[in-house]
């Protein structure tokens, strides 16, 4: 499966990748390429391999078979710390450092990268707070003093503060209310359009997958069963599982 436009370079590629945990195949012979600057949503049932696939991009999980390539380089040959410094990672519930302020949380990775250049780090923090839509008057607050939506925005700002090439997002909005979630979806779309960053976004919500993704990757039992633009997923489901996933949405999106 190839998500590249004609002539486009792959930011991430999975070359016949498989991963087992015990006797279970978490990821089973996934073979696809994701173009630079693409927003890919990944959807499927619980336990279908979505999060495992995501974690293989930043070498938190290594494949048993095949290769994961990031900008053409196999993760098996990369320094994992250096690799992760160029990949943002935002997860459900934000998981902020509770003993650090908003500013310190966002500044955490830039501080490591900027070798004591406080002005550069401060500029990065303010830049991403502005882009994410966080008021600067919360910079001195601690995570316990934030609303759910604010905490999730801080988590995304922290993931992006080092200006990574790739953002991995594992159900980042699932723990917030529907109104806040809609607002965060608008923000992540705007950020993608503004920065051109490559995004891999795991979700359980078919509406979210269809609305956000340039391409939608549908996983079933560890296999990539369809990788296509949202309109193709709706028009021509590749399997019965995909058909069941989108059947209630086809009439809505056809209006």
């Amino acid at each position: 499966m190839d998500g590249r436009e004609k002539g486009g370079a792959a930011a991430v590629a999975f070359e016949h990748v498989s991963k087992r945990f015990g006797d279970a195949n978490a990821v089973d012979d996934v073979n696809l390429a994701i173009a630079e600057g693409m927003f890919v949503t990944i959807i499927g049932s619980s336990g279908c391999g979505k999060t495992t696939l995501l974690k293989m991009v930043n070498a938190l999980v290594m494949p048993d078979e095949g290769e994961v390539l990031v900008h053409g380089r196999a993760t098996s040959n990369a320094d994992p710390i250096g690799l992760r410094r160029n990949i943002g990672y935002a997860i459900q519930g934000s998981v902020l450092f509770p003993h650090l302020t908003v500013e310190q949380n966002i500044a955490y990775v830039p501080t490591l990268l900027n070798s004591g250049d406080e002005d550069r780090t401060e500029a990065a923090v303010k830049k991403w707070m502005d882009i994410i839509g966080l008021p600067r008057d919360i910079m001195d607050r601690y995570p316990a003093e934030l609303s759910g939506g604010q905490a999730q925005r801080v988590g995304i700002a922290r993931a992006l503060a080092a200006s990574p090439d790739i953002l991995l997002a594992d159900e980042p909005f699932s723990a917030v209310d529907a109104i806040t979630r809609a607002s965060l979806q608008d923000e992540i779309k705007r950020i993608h359009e503004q920065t051109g960053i490559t995004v891999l976004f795991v979700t359980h919500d078919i509406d979210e997958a269809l609305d956000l993704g340039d391409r939608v990757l549908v996983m079933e039992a560890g296999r990539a069963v369809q990788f296509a633009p949202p309109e193709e997923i709706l028009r021509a489901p590749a399997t019965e599982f995909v058909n069941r996933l989108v059947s209630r949405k086809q009439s809505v999106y056809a209006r």
Side-chain angles (χ1 to χ4, degrees):
M1 297 178 180
D2 200 327
R4 290 174 291 184
E5 303 297 339
K6 187 175 182 179
V12 179
F14 300 89
E15 296 187 345
H16 297 288
V17 169
S18 295
K19 178 66 183 179
R20 290 177 295 276
F21 294 107
D23 294 330
N25 281 332
V27 173
D28 187 6
D29 195 28
V30 170
N31 192 54
L32 60 90
I34 296 167
E36 291 182 6
M38 187 168 285
F39 196 129
V40 175
T41 51
I42 307 171
I43 190 164
S45 304
S46 296
C48 69
K50 303 185 299 295
T51 293
T52 300
L53 198 71
L54 206 69
K55 287 182 175 180
M56 286 197 281
V57 177
N58 63 356
L60 287 173
V61 172
M62 299 303 295
D64 293 322
E65 298 172 12
E67 291 281 8
V68 180
L69 307 178
V70 176
H71 298 305
R73 184 179 182 186
T75 58
S76 58
N77 296 326
D79 169 40
I81 294 174
L83 176 71
R84 291 168 196 154
R85 284 177 176 169
N86 293 310
I87 300 174
Y89 192 34
I91 62 177
Q92 180 178 338
S94 79
V95 195
L96 301 177
F97 299 119
H99 60 292
L100 300 182
T101 65
V102 166
E103 181 177 16
Q104 291 167 334
N105 263 284
I106 299 173
Y108 189 81
V109 174
T111 297
L112 297 175
L113 296 179
N114 293 336
S115 303
D117 188 338
E118 294 182 5
D119 290 341
R120 188 176 176 186
T121 297
E122 182 180 354
V125 170
K126 290 179 177 177
K127 167 190 170 182
W128 284 105
M129 287 187 72
D130 290 345
I131 290 173
I132 298 293
L134 286 165
R136 293 189 184 179
D137 61 9
I138 70 166
M139 289 176 71
D140 294 328
R141 294 185 190 176
Y142 289 88
E145 300 172 304
L146 304 176
S147 69
Q150 287 174 329
Q152 197 63 66
R153 282 183 168 86
V154 173
I156 295 169
R158 187 179 67 183
L160 293 171
S163 297
D165 300 319
I166 298 167
L167 173 64
L168 308 178
D170 193 357
E171 297 193 72
F173 307 151
S174 61
V176 298
D177 63 86
I179 293 174
T180 301
R181 183 170 187 162
S183 176
L184 287 167
Q185 289 168 351
D186 289 341
E187 292 291 345
I188 198 75
K189 282 196 291 187
R190 182 180 56 79
I191 290 164
H192 176 249
E193 291 168 0
Q194 184 172 339
T195 64
I197 191 172
T198 305
V199 181
L200 280 69
F201 188 104
V202 167
T203 179
H204 272 102
D205 185 328
I206 185 61
D207 286 313
E208 188 168 68
L210 294 169
D211 185 45
L212 293 180
D214 299 322
R215 296 287 191 281
V216 179
L217 173 62
V218 184
M219 298 285 293
E220 181 184 8
R223 298 188 68 85
V225 294
Q226 191 164 7
F227 183 47
E231 57 271 20
E232 184 176 332
I233 296 281
L234 288 163
R235 184 183 68 251
T239 67
E240 178 56 32
F241 173 75
V242 182
N243 186 60
R244 292 197 307 271
L245 194 64
V246 302
S247 60
R248 293 184 179 178
K249 306 300 174 185
Q250 289 167 327
S251 60
V252 175
Y253 281 85
R255 292 175 185 171

